[in-house]
Amino acid sequence: MDERRSRAAFAVDAVGQRARAAVKAAWWTATGSLARSMTRPTQGEQARSFEPTAAPPTKGSLRRAYLEAFEKDARDVAAGLYPAIEDGPVRPSAAVREAADFIADAFEVDQRRRRGDGVEVRGESNSQAYPNYYRQNFHYQSGGWFTPESARRYDAQVEALFSGTAGAMRRRGLSLLAKHWRGRDHRDAKILDTACGSGAFLKDLKATFPRAAIAGLDLSEAYLAQARKRTGAGGIKANAEALPIADSSLDAVSCVYLFHELPPRVRPVVAASLARVLKPGGVLVFVDSVQPSDTPDLARLLEAFPVYFHEPYYGSYAQTDLVALFTQAGLKLIGEDRAFLTKALLLEKPLS
């Protein structure tokens, strides 16, 4: 009887998740479309020089891939892998303010895009102590990773870019971890969300594993402050290249949307750092962009991404053999999943 009731409750949660996802998708699709219609990014010099090699995706394949992200998310809620998660503004007034702020800033973003200026933040005095590759306006965003305004605006930028699928895509990694740990007592688990940004995935981890000890780590003080405010989790300001964590001390480490923003020489360093802090039997939850070999039908979108958004290392990321990279760091692939433009890998540190 209890099992039947649980299944029924999860099914109801999944219905709610689908409903919220539909509203969120419609809202951020409209918001992103409005921003693009006002700024016309495809008329810039960079866009005119864009010479794609892949065929454009068909409307059918694009729509199927887009909807699959929401459907996988709802199925996992129905299966009880994680709770129904609200990852958008709860109040209409907050949603309107967030969208208005995003649209207003879109004009600043577009001006940088047209100038080809992706390193404006190097003039900020507080950026001098950071790695040179980090001191950039990734996505041409105002403030780079250095301002509270950027940290507050980031989620809106991502949701508008991906038409409301950002949360559902990120949770492919959560799904892999929840399946792997199903039935485990989480009270002794220690999890670190590396490069936690403004705390979106950190919030999902805390909702799914409320008894675990969970903390976020990021190099940006502004983003770390936003993550703390959003989740109540502890935060560590540090570079993922040299995690200030003891060897073999964590049960799980997550890393979401970091590797495509790392130079090729830095990726193996970060991979080794992540592997070092895992206990034998511990797992790395890796989430990042799909690569052209994963989804040939969507390869044109992947080619366009670094053209319209300042992503200086995305081209090399697209060609990186990620499994080989993490194998070299001592980790073994034990699970993978994809949704729309994101893929997730689950990698384990062997017991011996």
Side-chain angles (χ1 to χ4, degrees):
M1 178 66 74
D2 289 343
E3 185 177 346
R4 286 200 297 272
R5 286 177 179 171
S6 294
R7 286 201 299 266
F10 292 147
V12 171
D13 287 346
V15 170
Q17 188 79 354
R18 286 187 175 93
R20 286 190 295 270
V23 172
K24 181 182 174 186
W27 176 256
W28 286 116
T29 297
T31 301
S33 296
L34 178 60
R36 287 189 292 273
S37 70
M38 295 172 71
T39 60
R40 301 184 184 277
T42 58
Q43 295 183 0
E45 179 60 36
Q46 286 183 303
R48 287 193 290 270
S49 63
F50 177 38
E51 297 181 357
T53 60
T58 64
K59 288 185 178 180
S61 65
L62 186 61
R63 180 175 175 77
R64 283 192 299 273
Y66 174 74
L67 293 176
E68 183 184 38
F70 298 118
E71 184 55 31
K72 283 188 171 184
D73 198 33
R75 285 204 303 261
D76 282 342
V77 170
L81 286 176
Y82 48 80
I85 293 173
E86 175 58 61
D87 54 9
V90 177
R91 300 183 304 278
S93 59
V96 170
R97 286 196 301 271
E98 189 177 38
D101 177 66
F102 160 73
I103 291 172
D105 185 65
F107 289 95
E108 297 293 329
V109 171
D110 192 57
Q111 288 303 308
R112 289 187 199 91
R113 180 186 293 115
R114 292 173 187 272
R115 295 194 305 267
D117 184 1
V119 293
E120 183 181 80
V121 291
R122 289 186 183 169
E124 298 283 339
S125 59
N126 67 340
S127 76
Q128 303 303 314
Y130 294 84
N132 203 46
Y133 68 81
Y134 189 82
R135 297 165 57 210
Q136 305 197 45
N137 297 71
F138 287 97
H139 326 127
Y140 294 118
Q141 64 197 39
S142 300
W145 303 122
F146 297 100
T147 67
E149 293 77 16
S150 173
R152 289 195 299 267
R153 188 178 295 129
Y154 177 78
D155 289 309
Q157 291 173 320
V158 174
E159 292 291 6
L161 174 62
F162 296 116
S163 298
T165 61
M169 291 193 298
R170 276 192 301 263
R171 285 192 285 275
R172 291 303 86 220
L174 187 67
S175 175
L176 290 174
L177 180 59
K179 288 174 184 174
H180 183 65
W181 276 3
R182 194 155 205 176
R184 168 178 173 161
D185 186 343
H186 305 133
R187 283 176 292 185
D188 64 342
K190 296 179 181 179
I191 308 171
L192 179 70
D193 186 24
T194 308
C196 66
S198 59
F201 194 72
L202 186 62
K203 180 181 177 183
D204 292 350
L205 286 169
K206 284 181 66 65
T208 306
F209 308 108
R211 295 183 175 185
I214 302 174
L217 178 145
D218 203 272
L219 190 52
S220 167
E221 292 179 4
Y223 275 73
L224 198 58
Q226 181 70 11
R228 289 193 189 105
K229 179 180 177 181
R230 184 178 193 174
T231 68
I236 304 167
K237 182 182 181 297
N239 191 328
E241 294 179 54
L243 295 173
I245 307 292
D247 293 2
S248 304
S249 60
L250 300 177
D251 298 279
V253 176
S254 55
C255 184
V256 180
Y257 298 142
L258 171 64
F259 270 61
H260 75 271
E261 294 184 345
L262 296 175
R265 63 178 176 77
V266 176
R267 290 185 196 122
V269 177
V270 174
S273 182
L274 297 172
R276 176 185 62 77
V277 300
L278 285 172
K279 295 177 181 178
V283 291
L284 167 65
V285 180
F286 174 90
V287 180
D288 214 307
S289 167
V290 292
Q291 296 168 294
S293 58
D294 298 318
T295 54
D297 290 349
L298 303 181
R300 171 72 73 89
L301 298 181
L302 305 184
E303 284 187 312
F305 183 55
V307 174
Y308 294 103
F309 302 91
H310 182 61
E311 290 286 2
Y313 312 115
Y314 188 84
S316 65
Y317 166 82
Q319 304 304 319
T320 297
D321 185 335
L322 294 170
V323 174
L325 176 68
F326 288 112
T327 298
Q328 185 178 18
L331 302 179
K332 178 184 177 182
L333 180 69
I334 60 171
E336 56 185 311
D337 198 359
R338 291 199 297 269
F340 195 29
L341 296 170
T342 290
K343 71 174 172 182
L345 307 177
L346 189 68
L347 302 119
E348 185 177 52
K349 187 171 184 176
L351 291 172
S352 59

